[in-house]
Amino acid sequence: MTVESFQIRVPDEVLDDLKYRLNHVRWPEPLGSTGWEHGTDLSYLQSLVTYWQEQYDWREQEAKLNRFSQFRSNVDGVDVHFIHERGKGPSPMPIILTHGWPDSYLRYQKIIPLLTDPARYGGDPEDAFDVIVPSLPGFGFSSCPDYRGINNSRVSEVWAKLMTEELGYRKFAAAGGDIGSGVTRYLASNHPELLFGIHLTDIGIIKSLMNPNDQAELSEEELHYKRSAQEWISREGGYMTLQSTKPQTLAYGLSDSPVGLAGWIIEKFHAWSDCKGDLRNSFSEDELLTNIMIYWVTNTFGSTAHIYYENTHSLPPLGRIEVPTGIAILPADVLTPPKVWAMRNLNITRWTSLPRGGHFTAMEEPELMAEDIRAFYRPFRTRMEKE
């Protein structure tokens, strides 16, 4: 296993093909002024595609991404792409940050400098981290040679080997959201000896609370969560049902149409962020399109959707997590977990309600997220020096 430097170099023919497809879109008939009620708003998507055609510059964004120290390493048959930025402080703590869907490793690009060089942003150099941000297997520039068995637990094993065998860290921190939350929790369950603690922004859908026969045993907070989760799944969970059952069917259309891909992804950024109905309140067009481009230029929508299938069909059960856990609760996130359940199933040592942010908080409110991560891990730094 060898760690090799990596730079993004998308072939010109891929960009030429994209340009052709964007210039030959067949738009659906408008349904009237429904806004986002029936899915991605037509007028917004048309304006975004116009920007994509006329102003967006992939080569400029590619150059910005290549400023990060990027690498690839084959771990358990997966060519893992990752950023590895060294911290600037007396004793940086290593931390691995895991993204989810429909984002990418770009979720964390804004907080990397805040964590590696806190003094530059008015913080304490004692809080510095070595930051590792991998692309999940089958996402972006990480390979996925065989989809079967690539679930959150399997990814956690790949991450453990990446951090210890490839990068040489004896112990490290871990954080994540969405799929990244699941991977981080399995990492804590499977390898607690490797971790100082874990930091999460969500706990996903808590399936154990969805059993219709257990209602009498649930607290009022858990009952509220159960009702909210059932309502959310019926209103918003169609994507999850499809990706968990027939991801390949969906992949044909979204691997062929960049506008179809954009419509599928953009709707989630609108629904799950703290944008208050206007995506421009939380993200620039360049941010949104660069995330979409990561999916498009690598042709990885199919493999990214397939992790939902594997998490539904092959994921082992997860017991109580004893590793110290910090949770940041975001006001506009999807399905805030009931604290009573979290305290019972994880070793919660920090529970923070942030004033702003949604599902993509590292992109939306990077300063708030970076500070919460720094604060959570501060007590563990003395322990790190002893170990």
Side-chain angles (χ1 to χ4, degrees):
M1 294 185 285
T2 305
V3 175
E4 299 179 343
S5 295
F6 178 81
Q7 291 274 282
I8 304 167
R9 295 186 181 90
V10 175
D12 287 339
E13 52 264 33
V14 172
L15 301 182
D16 292 341
D17 175 74
L18 171 63
K19 182 177 180 180
Y20 175 85
R21 292 168 189 263
L22 292 177
N23 287 333
H24 294 82
V25 181
R26 186 171 72 165
W27 294 100
E29 287 297 316
L31 296 174
S33 56
T34 58
W36 294 84
E37 181 182 356
H38 293 171
T40 301
D41 179 67
L42 177 62
S43 62
Y44 173 82
L45 188 57
Q46 287 176 328
S47 70
L48 185 67
V49 170
T50 298
Y51 182 90
W52 202 352
Q53 293 171 299
E54 298 177 359
Q55 294 177 258
Y56 180 78
D57 186 343
W58 165 255
R59 292 302 183 199
E60 178 184 348
Q61 300 304 317
E62 185 181 66
K64 290 179 180 179
L65 296 176
N66 282 333
R67 292 173 190 168
F68 289 109
S69 299
Q70 298 176 95
F71 303 89
R72 286 185 79 175
S73 181
N74 189 278
V75 185
D76 277 356
V78 178
D79 289 325
V80 180
H81 161 256
F82 61 98
I83 289 173
H84 188 192
E85 289 287 345
R86 300 283 184 175
K88 299 179 180 178
S91 184
M93 175 183 283
I95 186 170
I96 185 167
L97 306 175
T98 309
H99 67 84
W101 183 94
D103 56 282
S104 60
Y105 78 103
L106 301 184
R107 171 187 281 238
Y108 295 111
Q109 68 172 340
K110 291 180 182 177
I111 71 169
I112 291 173
L114 300 173
L115 295 178
T116 56
D117 192 6
R120 181 180 176 186
Y121 301 92
D124 187 342
E126 298 280 349
D127 287 333
F129 291 86
D130 284 353
V131 177
I132 297 88
V133 185
S135 296
L136 288 163
F139 282 69
F141 302 101
S142 286
S143 74
C144 189
D146 189 343
Y147 301 161
R148 291 169 296 183
I150 299 293
N151 55 37
N152 289 348
S153 182
R154 170 73 190 285
V155 175
S156 78
E157 297 295 335
V158 174
W159 276 196
K161 291 183 178 180
L162 173 66
M163 293 297 286
T164 58
E165 297 178 15
E166 296 298 288
L167 301 181
Y169 294 114
R170 294 177 55 216
K171 202 160 186 175
F172 53 93
D178 194 82
I179 292 170
S181 169
V183 171
T184 302
R185 283 179 281 133
Y186 274 92
L187 187 58
S189 178
N190 295 340
H191 295 283
E193 75 283 357
L194 297 180
L195 296 170
F196 294 108
I198 61 172
H199 185 278
L200 310 172
T201 54
D202 60 72
I203 308 179
I205 295 176
I206 304 172
K207 294 180 180 179
S208 63
L209 294 181
M210 306 302 289
N211 190 329
N213 300 321
D214 294 342
Q215 189 153 320
E217 302 175 8
L218 301 181
S219 68
E220 185 57 40
E221 185 185 17
E222 289 170 315
L223 285 172
H224 175 74
Y225 171 87
K226 180 177 181 177
R227 290 190 292 267
S228 298
Q230 290 171 335
E231 179 186 346
W232 184 86
I233 290 171
S234 67
R235 187 182 69 251
E236 298 282 348
Y239 81 97
M240 184 171 52
T241 300
L242 186 52
Q243 293 181 183
S244 297
T245 56
K246 306 293 181 183
Q248 190 63 24
T249 302
L250 182 62
Y252 295 117
L254 301 194
S255 297
D256 188 60
S257 169
V259 173
L261 177 67
W264 192 258
I265 289 176
I266 285 296
E267 191 265 318
K268 302 309 173 194
F269 275 81
H270 178 269
W272 300 350
S273 69
D274 197 11
C275 70
K276 298 176 176 58
D278 186 347
L279 278 162
R280 298 174 186 85
N281 290 330
S282 296
F283 313 100
S284 69
E285 286 87 349
D286 282 348
E287 280 183 280
L288 295 171
L289 288 172
T290 299
N291 181 67
I292 293 166
M293 286 288 287
I294 294 295
Y295 284 78
W296 181 260
V297 300
T298 58
N299 192 18
T300 50
F301 176 81
S303 53
T304 67
H306 201 86
I307 198 169
Y308 280 79
Y309 183 95
E310 290 300 329
N311 281 339
T312 300
H313 293 87
S314 67
L315 193 62
L318 186 64
R320 175 177 164 82
I321 291 172
E322 300 297 340
V323 171
T325 302
I327 294 184
I329 299 298
L330 302 319
D333 201 358
V334 176
L335 295 179
T336 299
K339 188 173 182 178
V340 63
W341 184 93
M343 299 294 287
R344 191 166 62 245
N345 288 275
L346 299 100
N347 179 16
I348 305 293
T349 60
R350 179 181 173 89
W351 181 280
T352 311
S353 295
L354 299 183
R356 301 180 303 280
H359 197 61
F360 310 99
T361 299
M363 297 176 71
E364 301 172 62
E365 299 289 345
E367 292 83 4
L368 290 177
M369 182 55 56
E371 177 50 39
D372 200 68
I373 291 173
R374 289 195 296 251
F376 170 67
Y377 284 109
R378 206 166 282 142
F380 300 99
R381 291 187 179 268
T382 302
R383 188 182 312 172
M384 181 180 74
E385 293 171 3
K386 293 178 181 179
E387 298 176 351

PDB file of all heavy atoms in Angstrom, residues 69-82:
ATOM      1  N   SER A  69      -3.513  19.658  -0.411  1.00  0.00           N
ATOM      2  CA  SER A  69      -2.609  18.513  -0.532  1.00  0.00           C
ATOM      3  C   SER A  69      -3.461  17.258  -0.651  1.00  0.00           C
ATOM      4  O   SER A  69      -4.075  16.814   0.324  1.00  0.00           O
ATOM      5  CB  SER A  69      -1.699  18.430   0.702  1.00  0.00           C
ATOM      6  OG  SER A  69      -0.906  19.600   0.823  1.00  0.00           O
ATOM      7  N   GLN A  70      -3.517  16.700  -1.858  1.00  0.00           N
ATOM      8  CA  GLN A  70      -4.375  15.561  -2.144  1.00  0.00           C
ATOM      9  C   GLN A  70      -3.552  14.311  -2.444  1.00  0.00           C
ATOM     10  O   GLN A  70      -2.453  14.402  -3.014  1.00  0.00           O
ATOM     11  CB  GLN A  70      -5.269  15.853  -3.350  1.00  0.00           C
ATOM     12  CG  GLN A  70      -6.227  17.008  -3.149  1.00  0.00           C
ATOM     13  CD  GLN A  70      -6.994  17.280  -4.423  1.00  0.00           C
ATOM     14  OE1 GLN A  70      -8.102  16.794  -4.610  1.00  0.00           O
ATOM     15  NE2 GLN A  70      -6.404  18.049  -5.317  1.00  0.00           N
ATOM     16  N   PHE A  71      -4.125  13.173  -2.098  1.00  0.00           N
ATOM     17  CA  PHE A  71      -3.413  11.911  -2.251  1.00  0.00           C
ATOM     18  C   PHE A  71      -4.405  10.818  -2.629  1.00  0.00           C
ATOM     19  O   PHE A  71      -5.617  10.973  -2.490  1.00  0.00           O
ATOM     20  CB  PHE A  71      -2.710  11.528  -0.939  1.00  0.00           C
ATOM     21  CG  PHE A  71      -1.760  12.572  -0.436  1.00  0.00           C
ATOM     22  CD1 PHE A  71      -2.198  13.584   0.414  1.00  0.00           C
ATOM     23  CD2 PHE A  71      -0.426  12.569  -0.827  1.00  0.00           C
ATOM     24  CE1 PHE A  71      -1.332  14.561   0.870  1.00  0.00           C
ATOM     25  CE2 PHE A  71       0.450  13.543  -0.380  1.00  0.00           C
ATOM     26  CZ  PHE A  71       0.002  14.543   0.473  1.00  0.00           C
ATOM     27  N   ARG A  72      -3.859   9.695  -3.086  1.00  0.00           N
ATOM     28  CA  ARG A  72      -4.634   8.472  -3.250  1.00  0.00           C
ATOM     29  C   ARG A  72      -3.827   7.315  -2.690  1.00  0.00           C
ATOM     30  O   ARG A  72      -2.589   7.308  -2.775  1.00  0.00           O
ATOM     31  CB  ARG A  72      -4.981   8.197  -4.719  1.00  0.00           C
ATOM     32  CG  ARG A  72      -6.064   9.100  -5.262  1.00  0.00           C
ATOM     33  CD  ARG A  72      -6.462   8.712  -6.670  1.00  0.00           C
ATOM     34  NE  ARG A  72      -7.356   7.559  -6.679  1.00  0.00           N
ATOM     35  CZ  ARG A  72      -7.928   7.081  -7.802  1.00  0.00           C
ATOM     36  NH1 ARG A  72      -7.691   7.649  -8.960  1.00  0.00           N
ATOM     37  NH2 ARG A  72      -8.717   6.032  -7.735  1.00  0.00           N
ATOM     38  N   SER A  73      -4.542   6.365  -2.108  1.00  0.00           N
ATOM     39  CA  SER A  73      -3.901   5.175  -1.579  1.00  0.00           C
ATOM     40  C   SER A  73      -4.865   4.001  -1.693  1.00  0.00           C
ATOM     41  O   SER A  73      -6.055   4.156  -1.419  1.00  0.00           O
ATOM     42  CB  SER A  73      -3.498   5.375  -0.114  1.00  0.00           C
ATOM     43  OG  SER A  73      -2.861   4.223   0.399  1.00  0.00           O
ATOM     44  N   ASN A  74      -4.359   2.842  -2.110  1.00  0.00           N
ATOM     45  CA  ASN A  74      -5.203   1.666  -2.210  1.00  0.00           C
ATOM     46  C   ASN A  74      -5.309   1.002  -0.847  1.00  0.00           C
ATOM     47  O   ASN A  74      -4.311   0.524  -0.300  1.00  0.00           O
ATOM     48  CB  ASN A  74      -4.657   0.682  -3.236  1.00  0.00           C
ATOM     49  CG  ASN A  74      -5.634  -0.440  -3.503  1.00  0.00           C
ATOM     50  OD1 ASN A  74      -5.716  -1.408  -2.752  1.00  0.00           O
ATOM     51  ND2 ASN A  74      -6.407  -0.292  -4.580  1.00  0.00           N
ATOM     52  N   VAL A  75      -6.506   0.988  -0.299  1.00  0.00           N
ATOM     53  CA  VAL A  75      -6.761   0.392   1.017  1.00  0.00           C
ATOM     54  C   VAL A  75      -7.873  -0.639   0.855  1.00  0.00           C
ATOM     55  O   VAL A  75      -8.992  -0.290   0.479  1.00  0.00           O
ATOM     56  CB  VAL A  75      -7.182   1.460   2.049  1.00  0.00           C
ATOM     57  CG1 VAL A  75      -7.325   0.828   3.430  1.00  0.00           C
ATOM     58  CG2 VAL A  75      -6.191   2.615   2.079  1.00  0.00           C
ATOM     59  N   ASP A  76      -7.562  -1.885   1.113  1.00  0.00           N
ATOM     60  CA  ASP A  76      -8.550  -2.975   0.985  1.00  0.00           C
ATOM     61  C   ASP A  76      -9.216  -2.987  -0.386  1.00  0.00           C
ATOM     62  O   ASP A  76     -10.428  -3.207  -0.509  1.00  0.00           O
ATOM     63  CB  ASP A  76      -9.625  -2.859   2.080  1.00  0.00           C
ATOM     64  CG  ASP A  76      -9.172  -3.480   3.395  1.00  0.00           C
ATOM     65  OD1 ASP A  76      -8.066  -4.067   3.421  1.00  0.00           O
ATOM     66  OD2 ASP A  76      -9.914  -3.387   4.379  1.00  0.00           O
ATOM     67  N   GLY A  77      -8.448  -2.727  -1.419  1.00  0.00           N
ATOM     68  CA  GLY A  77      -8.986  -2.779  -2.766  1.00  0.00           C
ATOM     69  C   GLY A  77      -9.678  -1.519  -3.230  1.00  0.00           C
ATOM     70  O   GLY A  77     -10.170  -1.467  -4.365  1.00  0.00           O
ATOM     71  N   VAL A  78      -9.742  -0.497  -2.390  1.00  0.00           N
ATOM     72  CA  VAL A  78     -10.366   0.779  -2.747  1.00  0.00           C
ATOM     73  C   VAL A  78      -9.276   1.833  -2.905  1.00  0.00           C
ATOM     74  O   VAL A  78      -8.452   2.035  -2.006  1.00  0.00           O
ATOM     75  CB  VAL A  78     -11.367   1.250  -1.663  1.00  0.00           C
ATOM     76  CG1 VAL A  78     -11.965   2.597  -2.038  1.00  0.00           C
ATOM     77  CG2 VAL A  78     -12.458   0.212  -1.454  1.00  0.00           C
ATOM     78  N   ASP A  79      -9.238   2.490  -4.056  1.00  0.00           N
ATOM     79  CA  ASP A  79      -8.325   3.622  -4.246  1.00  0.00           C
ATOM     80  C   ASP A  79      -8.955   4.845  -3.590  1.00  0.00           C
ATOM     81  O   ASP A  79      -9.837   5.482  -4.164  1.00  0.00           O
ATOM     82  CB  ASP A  79      -8.079   3.875  -5.736  1.00  0.00           C
ATOM     83  CG  ASP A  79      -7.235   2.794  -6.380  1.00  0.00           C
ATOM     84  OD1 ASP A  79      -6.335   2.282  -5.704  1.00  0.00           O
ATOM     85  OD2 ASP A  79      -7.499   2.453  -7.550  1.00  0.00           O
ATOM     86  N   VAL A  80      -8.511   5.135  -2.381  1.00  0.00           N
ATOM     87  CA  VAL A  80      -9.108   6.209  -1.597  1.00  0.00           C
ATOM     88  C   VAL A  80      -8.442   7.537  -1.941  1.00  0.00           C
ATOM     89  O   VAL A  80      -7.221   7.687  -1.808  1.00  0.00           O
ATOM     90  CB  VAL A  80      -8.974   5.937  -0.086  1.00  0.00           C
ATOM     91  CG1 VAL A  80      -9.600   7.084   0.705  1.00  0.00           C
ATOM     92  CG2 VAL A  80      -9.627   4.613   0.287  1.00  0.00           C
ATOM     93  N   HIS A  81      -9.251   8.490  -2.361  1.00  0.00           N
ATOM     94  CA  HIS A  81      -8.792   9.860  -2.570  1.00  0.00           C
ATOM     95  C   HIS A  81      -9.007  10.636  -1.282  1.00  0.00           C
ATOM     96  O   HIS A  81     -10.056  10.512  -0.644  1.00  0.00           O
ATOM     97  CB  HIS A  81      -9.587  10.514  -3.706  1.00  0.00           C
ATOM     98  CG  HIS A  81      -9.529  12.016  -3.702  1.00  0.00           C
ATOM     99  ND1 HIS A  81     -10.581  12.789  -3.263  1.00  0.00           N
ATOM    100  CD2 HIS A  81      -8.549  12.878  -4.058  1.00  0.00           C
ATOM    101  CE1 HIS A  81     -10.263  14.068  -3.374  1.00  0.00           C
ATOM    102  NE2 HIS A  81      -9.031  14.149  -3.849  1.00  0.00           N
ATOM    103  N   PHE A  82      -8.019  11.427  -0.871  1.00  0.00           N
ATOM    104  CA  PHE A  82      -8.191  12.194   0.361  1.00  0.00           C
ATOM    105  C   PHE A  82      -7.305  13.436   0.372  1.00  0.00           C
ATOM    106  O   PHE A  82      -6.243  13.483  -0.255  1.00  0.00           O
ATOM    107  CB  PHE A  82      -7.899  11.332   1.602  1.00  0.00           C
ATOM    108  CG  PHE A  82      -6.496  10.776   1.679  1.00  0.00           C
ATOM    109  CD1 PHE A  82      -5.507  11.392   2.437  1.00  0.00           C
ATOM    110  CD2 PHE A  82      -6.155   9.611   1.001  1.00  0.00           C
ATOM    111  CE1 PHE A  82      -4.223  10.880   2.520  1.00  0.00           C
ATOM    112  CE2 PHE A  82      -4.875   9.072   1.069  1.00  0.00           C
ATOM    113  CZ  PHE A  82      -3.906   9.705   1.835  1.00  0.00           C
TER     114      PHE A  82
END
